[in-house]
Amino acid sequence: MTLLFKIGFLDISIVNMIDIALVAALLYQIYKLLKGSVAIKIFLGFLSIYLIYLLVRALRMELLSAILGQFMGVGVIAAIIIFAPEIRKFLLLIGRSSFLSDDNMWKDLLFFWRKRENSIFNISPIIDASKTLAGSNTGALMVISKSTELKFYAESGDILDAELSKRLLISIFNKYSPLHDGAVIIYNGKIKAARCILPVTEREVPAQFGLRHRAGIGMSEATDTLILIVSEETGQLSMAKNGKILHNMSFQEVRETINDYLNSEDVDARFEDIDEYELKKRRKLAMTSKS
């Protein structure tokens, strides 16, 4: 082990520095995952108790160490129960970012003689339908997937497996349609299902975002999909990806973002974190009030 330097009686090596860096990165990712939810306060409480436990054990306070040790033993099981949704999101995040999660890679390996399916399709029906829906202040929620059919979420609604068209989308989201509640899942140029139930984010979102936006953000946190949201109140278009959002988009911006996403280009940098969006909104209001 290569020794870098000493701090008192402690010998610091390269392995120790790597270990500290990895732990810091892990804690930062956990903080990002829990930020904005009630779970962050519980996590900080657990972390505080654990640090106190380490301190009293180092000071050889036997009785308090034994009590806190018993609490920590039970606390691990309690933490798994309390943080079950967050643990699930964390594992989904790892699985989604892993190369093993690429369905196309497995298809190429197992069926290398078959022609690879192209995820690019004509998105004009989506844009044209969005224009009509936004013009009439009709709410809509569309999930666009490039890599998977999302069978789990599709089966929560009504399976259609219909060709993508402007008239069909408008008919689905018509206020008097039995299919207008929930989301539409679009994959490989087809509407796979309608009236689908999406997971709702547990993070704090701006008050102007309703349940449709919360469901869109929640779906983008759980899957590698692009979510298009048409506001029923304002008719404005928003998109969500990886728990981030783009609000009040033009139709051209929506078209470019969807095309780039289907072409496997990196579009994540275009989206804003919810906290950053709220901060920018407050700054804009402050500047408007001053002027």
Side-chain angles (χ1 to χ4, degrees), residues 25-157:
L26 179 62
L27 290 175
Y28 175 69
Q29 291 300 324
I30 292 173
Y31 172 74
K32 282 179 61 179
L33 189 68
L34 301 179
K35 184 176 65 174
S37 67
V38 180
I40 185 64
K41 297 179 181 179
I42 303 174
F43 173 73
L44 292 175
F46 270 110
L47 187 60
S48 300
I49 294 173
Y50 181 66
L51 292 175
I52 294 171
Y53 168 68
L54 293 178
L55 178 62
V56 298
R57 194 175 66 171
L59 295 174
R60 300 184 181 278
M61 302 170 68
E62 301 295 338
L63 182 58
L64 194 54
S65 296
I67 294 172
L68 291 178
Q70 292 294 326
F71 178 81
M72 292 305 300
V74 178
V76 172
I77 301 174
I80 293 174
I81 297 171
I82 293 171
F83 293 110
E86 283 72 23
I87 292 172
R88 181 175 177 272
K89 286 181 183 178
F90 183 68
L91 295 175
L92 281 170
L93 184 65
I94 294 174
R96 189 175 63 188
S97 60
S98 171
F99 72 96
L100 296 175
S101 64
D102 190 351
D103 292 341
N104 290 324
M105 182 198 72
W106 290 111
K107 289 177 182 178
D108 289 345
L109 288 176
L110 298 176
F111 308 105
F112 58 89
W113 62 87
R114 294 185 182 179
K115 184 179 179 181
R116 181 169 176 172
E117 292 182 356
N118 192 355
S119 60
I120 307 300
F121 55 88
N122 182 21
I123 65 168
S124 293
I126 299 175
I127 307 302
D128 295 339
S130 298
K131 290 179 181 177
T132 303
L133 294 169
S136 59
N137 279 29
T138 302
L141 186 57
M142 306 181 201
V143 180
I144 304 167
S145 175
K146 66 176 179 180
S147 58
T148 176
E149 297 181 13
L150 302 170
K151 290 183 179 180
F152 175 78
Y153 298 101
E155 289 172 356
S156 67

Side-chain angles (χ1 to χ4, degrees), residues 221-261:
E221 291 173 341
T223 61
D224 185 24
T225 55
L226 192 64
I227 319 297
L228 175 61
I229 308 153
V230 181
S231 174
E232 187 174 351
E233 288 76 21
T234 63
Q236 293 178 342
L237 272 65
S238 304
M239 301 194 84
K241 192 174 189 302
N242 287 340
K244 298 182 178 181
I245 196 163
L246 269 177
H247 188 54
N248 195 16
M249 301 177 66
S250 67
F251 296 109
Q252 183 60 30
E253 289 174 333
V254 171
R255 181 184 291 274
E256 291 175 357
T257 304
I258 296 175
N259 276 328
D260 291 345
Y261 166 75

